[in-house]
Amino acid sequence: MLGHLVWVAILYVALTVVRAPFVWSITVSDLIGEKFAEWEPRISANLSNQFEWPVFFYVGALLAFQSEKQSEMIVVFSASLFLIGRIVHSVIQIGLPSVRLRGVVFMPNFLAVLGVWFGLFM
């Protein structure tokens, strides 16, 4: 959960950096301005995604801690897969316009969250 928190903080910093020239009327080269204009909605959309399906991960992880199953191998593996998947999904969503590839990368995230929940009831 801490890893995901750090990743979301990095995304907020990135969003602040790409918005700064527009908010503060900072002059940047046309090339940088175009890239920032392209990345801003993608980073913003990705931040929204960080608070949709991951909510189920957090609930499952908190229940795993409470039930003392946080050291179960399936929970640890699923949580690790979740974090790696979130980072890869962000990189693809921000860097590439491929919705199909994002869907492929999201599937391990989806399964990782289910794995955390499965580990609770195993």
Side-chain angles (χ1 to χ4, degrees), residues 15 18 27 32 44 46 61 80 95 101 111:
L15 184 61
V18 298
T27 304
I32 292 173
S44 183
N46 187 261
S80 301
L101 184 56
L111 295 174

Side-chain angles (χ1 to χ4, degrees), residues 27-49:
T27 304
V28 294
S29 75
D30 290 339
L31 180 62
I32 292 173
E34 287 176 23
K35 279 295 179 193
F36 282 7
E38 179 183 323
W39 288 340
E40 190 274 337
R42 291 181 185 180
I43 295 171
S44 183
N46 187 261
L47 274 166
S48 293
N49 290 344

